[in-house]
């Protein structure tokens, strides 16, 4: 029969027709069996009963496999079903998975007909369609220009070094060859504690070389600043091949200074990546396409680690980390011009201020938020990137002379700048740990919670922590920024409304991000369970790590390859069982009764200054008791109601009491009952008239 099944890769229509025919035949055969008489037929034939059990177990196994596969694709957790009763009792899990599949089907169909844009990972490389949005200040000067490309293929797809943002992934140091080494390369891992978690750390490859750096003598000699070449009369060299990279490196053989700057992109990546590197000598400018040469950039260590070449950067705290993480590059002999502005106490500390002060050049910072993944790079962005390093060698000369002039013979100001720069170059790239319990760290939930000005109840706080953890996990898995996965204002909208269905989740996010829409059903289940956890007890939830109970781990690559699923995601889908510890004394009734008696005796007061003893009469009255007797004698009971009349009722003869046996109860009809009155005057209060009642209500 298998030979008769058409190959779906060669003729899908025939395969589809044969599959539909087989499903119809199976449905017709199953419908022919009377369900209500199945038990009777099983008793008639043991072989029939065994066959039914065998087929049922096979169908249940196939259904479980399909369910688990679909749950992996949709991000909705579902357990295996053991028998028919289990299927009937927990069929809602199947419904959730099917709803998630239908939701993703709708999304794919919308992409096919063009109603929504496809994820960029599916796009073919074409000329990017650049959108420009400009913003002007009040004086009419252009401050920012946002350049965003709509159809840029994600560069991570072409990276030879696979990006792994997982918390459990080992540290990967890219440097394998250490030029200008005084000690060999050390790859020994050490254990460190970070936010209560054990992490592996590697030593800085050039720690010894930086701490024992001997600066070249030319750095401490005053000389006339060498003027830069006119910007508009020179051009920069675009480098995007290994051959061009090596030709550029040949020009660095006799240089004493290199000005370096980077252009970074971090919106469509969790940690971000370097898109361009600008390097300027005193004669030439180079713009390196680091997206194309990412795996070749380590060659620059020959010059970046050379202690005789000064590397000039401005505000290099981020650049140092980016160079290590993306290329395995390390800087020895760093001169950070930012520290000069601090030591010399300049009124401003930006590179734009230095360019204006020493070069009379107005830095065009309107492209700071541009998308540097765009290829080819627009000319205006190219010139902007080049201007950051073109003037730096001249500014370095001016700053160094000013430091030497104000330092005197000790050269202490220049040494101070070099010391701060060396400490900065010792920074190393470390894996960012997500602090689940306390929310600390730059990416923790506490920072976002502090910015939220409204109070949250226990359920909202539980939902917030679960959604924040889900966002961070999805961003790591898909290599997207948390802002792209779920912006903060949408996160708080979900926390405020706490929707429990996919439509509500999508309704809270406008426009709805792609990963939120794909995982809408999983997010709804996540919110439901977070609310339930808050009801069970916030303390228990705080002690254990947030569990991805709705999983919510969905890889957009699974649309192309549905079988793709990491083992780590499957392990995180397993719920963590939290056991409650009960105090046995809570069920000891005798102990509870004894505790109540002790508490009652503590609260009971046996005497009163006004009414004497509550339990026994006092034998000799005290002065306080005599005073209390006088107070009681002066107490009068009055009614603050006007219009009441007092009437004295006449005395009536006493009615003799009828002796009734103690063990006998005598019923007296209502008409024969007589009210016993004492031999005293009875005060009768006449009720107010209806008119006065109305007046009283009106008041």
């Amino acid at each position: 029969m298998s030979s008769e099944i058409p190959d779906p890769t060669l003729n899908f229509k025939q395969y589809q027709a044969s599959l539909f025919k087989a499903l119809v035949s199976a449905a017709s055969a199953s419908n022919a069996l009377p369900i209500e008489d199945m038990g009777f037929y099983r008793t008639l034939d043991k072989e029939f009963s065994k066959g039914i059990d065998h087929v049922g177990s096979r169908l249940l196994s196939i259904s479980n496999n399909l369910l688990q596969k679909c749950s992996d694709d949709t991000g909705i957790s579902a357990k295996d079903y053991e028998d028919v009763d289990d299927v009937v009792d927990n069929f809602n899990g199947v419904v959730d998975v099917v709803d998630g599949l239908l939701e993703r089907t709708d999304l794919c169909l919308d992409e096919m007909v063009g109603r929504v844009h496809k994820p960029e990972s599916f796009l073919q490389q074409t000329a990017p369609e650049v959108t420009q949005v400009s913003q002007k200040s009040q004086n009419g000067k252009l401050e920012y220009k946002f350049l965003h490309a709509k159809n840029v293929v994600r560069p991570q797809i072409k990276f030879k070094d696979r990006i792994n943002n997982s918390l459990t992934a080992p540290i990967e140091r890219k440097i394998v060859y250490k030029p200008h080494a005084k000690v060999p390369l050390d790859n020994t891992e050490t254990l460190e504690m970070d936010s209560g978690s054990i992490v592996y750390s590697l030593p800085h490859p050039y720690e010894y070389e930086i701490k024992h750096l001997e600066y070249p003598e030319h750095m401490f000699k005053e000389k006339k600043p060498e003027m830069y070449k006119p910007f508009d009369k020179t051009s920069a060299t675009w480098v995007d091949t290994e051959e061009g990279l090596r030709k550029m490196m040949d020009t660095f053989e006799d240089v004493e200074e290199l000005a370096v700057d980077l252009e970074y992109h971090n919106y469509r990546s969790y940690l971000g990546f370097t898109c361009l590197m600008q390097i300027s000598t005193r004669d030439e400018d180079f713009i390196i396409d680091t997206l194309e040469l990412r795996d070749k950039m380590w060659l620059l260590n020959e010059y970046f680690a050379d202690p005789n070449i000064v590397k000039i950067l401005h505000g290099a705290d981020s650049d140092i980390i980016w160079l290590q993480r993306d290329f395995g590059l390390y800087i020895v002999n760093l001169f950070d011009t930012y520290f000069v502005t601090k030591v010399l106490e300049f009124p401003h500390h930006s590179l734009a201020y230095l360019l204006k002060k020493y070069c009379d050049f107005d830095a065009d910072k309107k492209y700071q938020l541009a998308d540097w993944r765009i290829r080819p790079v627009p000319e205006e962005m190219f010139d902007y990137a080049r201007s950051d390093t073109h003037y730096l060698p001249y500014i370095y000369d001016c700053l160094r002379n000013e430091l030497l002039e104000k330092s005197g013979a000790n050269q202490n100001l220049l040494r101070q700048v070099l010391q701060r720069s060396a400490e900065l170059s010792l920074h190393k790239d470390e894996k960012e740990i997500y602090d689940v319990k306390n929310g600390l760290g730059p990416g923790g939930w506490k920072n976002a919670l502090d910015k939220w000005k409204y109070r949250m109840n226990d359920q909202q706080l539980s939902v917030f922590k679960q959604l924040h953890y889900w966002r961070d996990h999805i961003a790591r898995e898909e290599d997207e920024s948390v802002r792209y996965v779920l912006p903060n204002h949408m996160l708080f909208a979900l926390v405020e409304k706490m929707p429990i269905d996919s439509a509500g989740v999508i309704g809270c996010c406008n426009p709805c991000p792609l990963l939120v829409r794909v995982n809408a059903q999983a997010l709804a289940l996540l919110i439901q369970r977070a609310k339930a956890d808050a009801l069970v007890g916030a303390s228990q939830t705080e002690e254990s790590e947030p569990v991805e109970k709705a999983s919510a781990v969905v890889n957009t690559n699974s649309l192309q390859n549905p079988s793709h699923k990491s083992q780590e995601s499957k392990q995180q889908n397993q719920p963590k069982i939290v056991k409650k510890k009960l105090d046995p004394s809570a069920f000891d009734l005798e102990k509870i009764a004894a505790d109540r008696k002790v508490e009652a005796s503590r609260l009971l007061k046996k005497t009163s200054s006004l009414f004497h003893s509550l339990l026994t009469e006092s034998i000799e009255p005290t002065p306080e008791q005599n005073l209390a007797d006088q107070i009681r004698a002066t107490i009068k009971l009055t009614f603050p109601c006007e219009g009441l009349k007092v009437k004295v009722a006449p005395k009536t003869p006493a009615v003799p009491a009828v002796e009734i046996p103690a063990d006998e109860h005598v019923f007296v009809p209502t008409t024969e009952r007589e009210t016993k009155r004492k031999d005293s005057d009875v005060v009768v209060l006449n009720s107010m008239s209806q008119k006065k009642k109305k007046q009283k209500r009106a008041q």
Side-chain angles (χ1 to χ4, degrees):
M1 294 296 295
S2 60
S3 60
E4 299 178 0
I5 300 177
D7 188 352
T9 60
L10 301 178
N11 194 335
F12 182 76
K13 289 186 177 181
Q14 289 187 5
Y15 174 78
Q16 184 181 23
S18 64
L19 178 61
F20 181 74
K21 182 179 179 181
L23 290 175
V24 171
S25 300
S28 300
S30 62
N31 290 334
L33 297 175
I35 302 300
E36 62 277 3
D37 297 334
M38 187 62 64
F40 174 72
Y41 291 118
R42 290 170 64 94
T43 59
L44 295 179
D45 191 346
K46 292 184 179 180
E47 294 298 328
F48 175 75
S49 179
K50 292 180 180 179
I52 290 294
D53 292 338
H54 178 67
V55 173
S57 62
R58 286 188 58 193
L59 289 176
L60 187 61
S61 176
I62 294 174
S63 301
N64 282 327
N65 292 336
L66 288 174
L67 184 63
Q68 292 302 323
K69 180 60 183 176
C70 295
S71 65
D72 289 346
D73 292 339
T74 57
I76 302 174
S77 60
K79 68 171 187 176
D80 289 340
Y81 296 94
E82 298 179 357
D83 50 29
V84 176
D85 293 336
D86 198 11
V87 174
V88 175
D89 295 338
N90 301 285
F91 196 71
N92 289 334
V94 179
V95 175
D96 293 336
V97 173
V98 173
D99 288 345
L101 288 175
L102 293 176
E103 185 69 30
R104 298 193 65 179
T105 302
D106 290 340
L107 178 63
C108 294
L109 291 175
D110 290 341
E111 293 172 356
M112 183 181 297
V113 299
R115 294 177 183 174
V116 297
H117 295 290
K118 292 183 178 181
E120 293 182 5
S121 59
F122 299 133
L123 297 174
Q124 300 295 327
Q125 179 67 59
T126 57
E129 180 182 351
V130 180
T131 301
Q132 299 188 14
V133 179
S134 302
Q135 177 181 351
K136 294 185 178 180
S137 61
Q138 295 180 355
N139 57 8
K141 183 180 178 180
L142 184 62
E143 291 184 342
Y144 295 101
K145 179 177 287 187
F146 305 94
L147 276 80
H148 175 70
K150 295 183 178 180
N151 55 344
V152 174
V153 176
R154 300 186 69 194
Q156 302 96 307
I157 300 175
K158 299 186 295 182
F159 290 169
K160 294 182 179 180
D161 54 325
R162 182 177 176 272
I163 296 178
N164 190 347
N165 302 311
S166 173
L167 293 172
T168 59
I171 299 176
E172 296 182 2
R173 194 165 60 181
K174 295 187 176 182
I175 183 173
V176 293
Y177 166 66
K178 182 181 177 182
H180 306 285
K182 293 183 178 180
V183 295
L185 183 63
D186 186 6
N187 291 320
T188 305
E189 291 184 347
T190 58
L191 294 178
E192 296 180 359
M193 295 294 296
D194 188 353
S195 301
S197 302
I198 299 178
V199 296
Y200 291 93
S201 178
L202 289 170
H204 193 290
Y206 283 91
E207 180 178 359
Y208 182 86
E209 286 77 8
I210 294 175
K211 290 183 176 180
H212 299 80
L213 175 62
E214 297 180 2
Y215 293 97
E217 294 182 359
H218 63 79
M219 296 183 63
F220 302 95
K221 295 180 181 179
E222 290 190 36
K223 66 178 181 179
K224 183 179 179 180
E226 183 177 341
M227 181 57 63
Y228 53 85
K229 293 184 178 180
F231 187 84
D232 53 351
K233 295 183 179 180
T234 58
S235 60
T237 303
W238 176 256
V239 180
D240 60 353
T241 62
E242 183 178 356
E243 180 182 2
L245 181 65
R246 294 186 180 276
K247 287 183 179 180
M248 177 194 72
M249 293 168 58
D250 291 340
T251 63
F252 297 164
E253 290 298 331
D254 299 325
V255 300
E256 295 181 347
E257 301 90 10
L258 287 177
V260 183
D261 191 32
L262 305 176
E263 301 299 340
Y264 209 66
H265 177 83
N266 60 358
Y267 180 63
R268 296 303 308 275
S269 175
Y270 184 78
L271 295 176
F273 48 83
T274 307
C275 299
L276 289 179
M277 178 186 290
Q278 305 95 272
I279 301 180
S280 293
T281 63
R282 296 187 182 273
D283 300 320
E284 297 182 71
D285 300 325
F286 300 92
I287 307 296
I288 307 172
D289 185 359
T290 56
L291 298 181
E292 290 291 334
L293 297 175
R294 181 181 175 93
D295 61 322
K296 304 296 182 182
M297 296 297 294
W298 61 271
L299 294 171
L300 289 174
N301 266 330
E302 188 67 37
Y303 306 95
F304 279 29
D306 189 346
N308 296 316
I309 300 178
V310 184
K311 272 66 67 175
I312 311 168
L313 289 87
H314 183 85
D317 48 348
S318 296
D319 297 330
I320 291 294
I321 302 300
W322 296 342
L323 289 172
Q324 296 178 25
R325 179 189 302 157
D326 292 346
F327 316 124
L329 290 175
Y330 298 85
I331 292 181
V332 179
N333 193 358
L334 170 66
F335 187 94
D336 193 333
T337 55
Y338 171 79
F339 294 127
V340 182
T341 64
K342 289 289 188 178
V343 171
L344 296 180
E345 299 181 349
F346 287 169
H348 303 284
H349 310 289
S350 64
L351 178 59
Y353 173 77
L354 295 178
L355 291 171
K356 182 65 177 177
K357 177 180 175 64
Y358 294 103
C359 306
D360 195 24
F361 177 78
D362 291 321
D364 190 359
K365 294 298 179 182
K366 60 189 177 184
Y367 299 106
Q368 283 181 325
L369 301 179
D371 189 347
W372 293 100
R373 302 174 303 162
I374 299 174
R375 297 293 184 272
V377 179
E379 183 178 358
E380 51 192 349
M381 292 174 59
F382 187 90
D383 292 339
Y384 164 80
R386 176 191 170 203
S387 64
D388 283 347
T389 57
H390 180 78
Y391 303 95
L392 267 183
Y394 174 77
I395 294 176
Y396 161 74
D397 289 342
C398 297
L399 293 176
R400 188 173 54 83
N401 288 340
E402 191 168 348
L403 287 171
L404 291 173
E405 180 181 353
K406 294 183 178 180
S407 296
N410 294 328
Q411 303 173 342
N412 56 336
L413 294 183
L414 178 58
R415 294 284 183 181
Q416 185 176 356
V417 170
L418 294 177
Q419 181 181 357
R420 292 188 182 184
S421 300
E423 292 175 354
L424 178 59
S425 62
L426 283 172
H427 290 182
K428 58 181 181 178
D429 178 34
E430 297 286 359
K431 186 178 292 293
E432 182 179 335
I433 302 299
Y434 186 87
D435 186 1
V436 174
K437 183 177 181 180
N438 302 315
L440 302 178
W445 52 262
K446 192 176 186 302
N447 289 336
L449 187 62
D450 292 341
K451 297 177 182 178
W452 182 245
K453 59 182 179 180
Y454 302 106
R455 297 185 62 182
M456 294 182 183
N457 56 35
D458 292 340
Q459 284 189 330
Q460 288 176 327
L461 182 60
S462 177
V463 170
F464 169 73
K465 291 181 180 179
Q466 294 284 359
L467 289 178
H468 195 278
Y469 181 78
W470 172 88
R471 181 177 71 168
D472 182 83
H473 187 88
I474 284 292
R476 292 176 184 270
E477 186 77 13
E478 302 294 336
D479 193 32
E480 298 282 4
S481 66
V482 294
R483 308 188 311 276
Y484 177 81
V485 174
L486 180 62
N488 281 337
H489 68 281
M490 295 185 184
L491 170 63
F492 288 117
L494 290 172
V495 172
E496 182 178 0
K497 297 181 181 179
M498 294 187 294
I500 57 175
D501 54 18
S502 59
V505 171
I506 296 175
C508 289
C509 306
N510 187 23
C512 186
L514 174 64
L515 292 173
V516 172
R517 184 176 178 184
V518 170
N519 296 287
Q521 186 71 18
L523 284 173
L525 292 176
L526 184 69
I527 293 173
Q528 291 181 30
R529 292 171 181 174
K531 293 171 67 176
D533 288 344
L535 293 176
V536 170
S539 61
Q540 297 177 2
T541 307
E542 292 289 339
E543 291 177 359
S544 59
E545 296 182 359
V547 181
E548 289 181 285
K549 295 170 183 169
S551 179
V553 180
V554 177
N555 193 338
T556 51
N557 294 332
S558 63
L559 297 177
Q560 290 180 337
N561 183 14
S563 62
H564 174 71
K565 187 65 180 180
S566 64
Q567 185 67 23
E568 175 190 355
S569 301
K570 292 183 179 179
Q571 294 176 355
Q572 291 177 343
N573 286 339
Q574 300 298 328
K576 182 177 290 185
I577 299 175
V578 181
K579 297 182 179 180
K580 296 176 63 177
K581 296 183 179 180
L582 299 178
D583 186 5
S585 63
F587 302 95
D588 190 349
L589 300 182
E590 294 181 359
K591 183 178 182 300
I592 294 174
D595 293 341
R596 289 180 178 177
K597 289 182 180 180
V598 173
E599 185 67 14
S601 62
R602 186 181 67 84
L603 298 175
L604 180 61
K605 188 175 182 182
K606 299 182 179 181
T607 59
S608 172
S609 299
L610 186 60
F611 297 103
H612 305 311
S613 174
L614 298 178
L615 301 179
T616 60
E617 296 293 338
S618 60
I619 300 175
E620 295 181 0
T622 61
E624 291 82 2
Q625 293 174 351
N626 293 332
L627 178 61
D629 292 338
Q630 297 177 8
I631 295 175
R632 288 201 307 271
T634 60
I635 293 178
K636 294 182 181 181
L637 179 63
T638 60
F639 293 89
C641 300
E642 299 179 359
L644 297 179
K645 297 179 179 180
V646 179
K647 181 179 180 181
V648 180
K651 294 183 178 181
T652 57
V655 180
V658 180
E659 294 184 1
I660 302 175
D663 57 347
E664 182 179 356
H665 176 74
V666 180
F667 172 76
V668 181
T670 305
T671 56
E672 300 178 5
R673 295 178 187 172
E674 295 182 2
T675 303
K676 297 179 182 180
R677 297 186 179 92
K678 295 182 180 180
D679 296 336
S680 61
D681 295 338
V682 178
V683 178
V684 179
L685 302 178
N686 290 342
S687 62
M688 293 185 293
S689 62
Q690 296 295 330
K691 182 177 180 181
K692 290 189 176 182
K693 285 184 178 180
K694 293 181 180 179
Q695 293 177 357
K696 198 68 176 178
R697 293 195 189 104
Q699 294 176 357

